[in-house]
């Protein structure tokens, strides 16, 4: 049915294919073995929270009924600059040229 030349070519092709399959399986096994035996170190995005003793220097003093007034001064409200009181805010960009402005919308 097959000639000797075709049989030897078929056997050679099957041996090459089997060799490629075996080498692929071996390579996959070695890779999986290396992956399984590596130690994974994960980076932590934020440092862990550490409790610290509360600092009372930046807190206002507590009010006591019938006692002393707090010693820390109350914050003052923001006051606008007297030079800029009447001025309008200047735009960041100059006005667009007329050819870049769309025509007004028409009412239906």
């Amino acid at each position: 049915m097959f000639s000797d030349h075709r049989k030897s070519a078929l056997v050679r092709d099957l041996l090459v294919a089997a060799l490629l399959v075996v080498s692929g399986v071996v390579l996959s096994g070695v890779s999986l073995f290396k992956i399984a035996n590596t130690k994974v170190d994960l980076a932590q995005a934020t440092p862990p929270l550490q409790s610290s003793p509360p600092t009372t220097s930046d807190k206002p003093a507590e009010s006591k009924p019938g006692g002393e007034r707090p010693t820390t001064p109350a914050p003052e409200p923001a006051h606008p600059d007297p030079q800029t009181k009447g001025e309008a805010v200047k735009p960041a960009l100059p006005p667009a040229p007329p050819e870049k402005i769309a025509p007004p919308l028409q009412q239906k």
Side-chain angles (χ1 to χ4, degrees):
M1 181 168 174
F2 287 120
S3 66
D4 289 337
H5 177 27
R6 290 188 76 185
K7 283 183 183 179
S8 64
L10 179 63
V11 169
R12 187 186 67 224
D13 289 344
L14 287 176
L15 284 175
V16 169
L19 182 66
L20 288 174
V21 168
V22 168
S23 64
V25 169
V26 168
L27 191 67
S28 298
V30 168
S31 299
L32 287 174
F33 182 74
K34 283 193 173 214
I35 289 172
N37 288 336
T38 56
K39 182 179 177 187
V40 178
D41 292 328
L42 298 177
Q44 190 169 356
T46 56
L49 297 176
Q50 297 177 354
S51 63
S52 61
T55 57
T56 57
S57 62
D58 57 337
K59 289 184 183 177
E62 291 184 28
S63 63
K64 300 173 186 169
E68 301 175 10
R69 294 183 65 174
T71 56
T72 53
E76 294 184 15
H79 297 289
D81 205 9
Q83 296 172 349
T84 61
K85 203 166 196 175
E87 295 179 16
V89 177
K90 296 179 182 176
L93 298 173
E99 60 269 6
K100 297 275 183 166
I101 298 174
L105 297 175
Q106 297 180 0
Q107 298 293 333
K108 290 184 179 180

